Amino acid sequence: MLAELTVKEFLDKVAGSDPVPGGGSVAALNGAVASALTAMVAGLTIGKKGYEEHEELMKHISRLSIRQQELFVEYIDRDSEAYDHVFGCFKLPKSTDEEKAARSAAIQEATRFAALVPMQVARNACELMEIIADVARLGNQNAITDACVAMMAARSAVLGALLNVRINLGSLKDKTFVDELKREADHLEQLACMREKELLEVVNQELNQ
């Protein structure tokens, strides 16, 4: 399990010559990092003087963020497993017409799943960005830059995952499915970039005063 490796072990695997873990797993890792930072900022707000009004919200955000972190960690392995499954399908026999048809169908199904895995990472990370915006606005202002780093990590998770979605869509024959995911991918990319830009503009303006 990739998620059980130390940070150094995981990075060494990424740096290796095998195609997995690759960008999809790293995108999920970025989502997990963003979630952990979000939980940290919420935790630094809970019980602090001057933030009593948002105590319950911060507790809620902390719980949500930790749950998101757990989901992203699961997707670190799931993305690599999806790639391995596609690769395995290409090794299926193709000596007869029946084998060729079965192999082609298996490749299509595995590739469809390989597109849906990073799409869910992108969806979750984009949802997390809304939570990060709240914790940055209402949470402990001494940790505002940590919230910004969480936002940037979440944006990287979204954009990185969407690249993996799009490269898999290029191999699929189901035009309706492809068009639907392309539209959603475009929307999530715009939304992620907008959310990051809004927060960073406000914070950078405050820091430069």
Side-chain angles (χ1 to χ4, degrees):
M1 295 285 288
L2 295 171
E4 295 177 358
L5 299 176
T6 67
V7 172
K8 186 179 185 307
E9 288 170 343
F10 179 82
L11 294 177
D12 286 344
K13 269 194 153 314
V14 173
S17 57
D18 291 335
V20 292
S25 292
V26 171
L29 176 61
N30 278 327
V33 168
S35 301
L37 273 172
T38 305
M40 185 194 82
V41 177
L44 288 171
T45 308
I46 296 168
K48 294 295 189 295
K49 185 178 180 180
Y51 295 98
E52 295 86 356
E53 180 183 354
H54 307 300
E55 179 95 4
E56 292 306 312
L57 175 61
M58 291 300 139
K59 289 179 180 178
H60 179 63
I61 287 176
S62 179
R63 290 191 295 269
L64 279 179
S65 301
I66 290 170
R67 178 55 184 149
Q68 284 276 35
Q69 178 186 329
E70 293 169 350
L71 290 173
F72 283 122
V73 167
E74 290 177 12
Y75 274 89
I76 292 172
D77 278 290
R78 195 168 296 175
D79 187 88
S80 292
E81 290 164 1
Y83 176 90
D84 285 338
H85 186 46
V86 173
F87 189 72
C89 289
F90 276 97
K91 295 180 178 180
L92 292 172
K94 50 180 178 177
S95 300
T96 66
D97 288 342
E98 289 79 9
E99 287 178 345
K100 288 177 182 177
R103 176 178 177 271
S104 178
I107 290 171
Q108 285 292 299
E109 185 60 32
T111 304
R112 180 187 180 97
F113 181 71
L116 288 172
V117 168
M119 178 57 86
Q120 193 58 52
V121 170
R123 289 166 181 159
N124 290 355
C126 205
E127 179 182 316
L128 176 65
M129 293 178 86
E130 189 171 2
I131 298 170
I132 295 169
D134 287 338
V135 82
R137 181 170 55 90
L138 302 173
N140 191 326
Q141 292 305 291
N142 290 324
I144 188 69
T145 54
D146 297 296
C148 289
V149 174
M151 185 67 87
M152 290 185 283
R155 188 263 298 151
S156 292
V158 174
L159 301 191
L162 291 179
L163 285 173
N164 275 9
V165 171
R166 289 172 175 133
I167 196 169
N168 283 298
L169 291 181
S171 302
L172 291 175
K173 299 175 183 178
D174 185 342
K175 189 176 185 302
T176 301
F177 177 79
V178 169
D179 289 345
E180 181 182 326
L181 257 67
K182 279 185 176 178
R183 284 193 297 271
E184 184 178 3
D186 290 344
H187 171 69
L188 290 176
E189 181 174 349
Q190 292 171 6
L191 191 58
C193 291
M194 179 192 72
R195 284 176 175 166
E196 181 196 45
K197 183 173 182 287
E198 286 177 348
L199 176 59
L200 293 184
E201 281 184 348
V202 171
V203 174
N204 279 320
Q205 185 175 4
E206 292 176 355
L207 292 176
N208 290 325
Q209 285 180 352

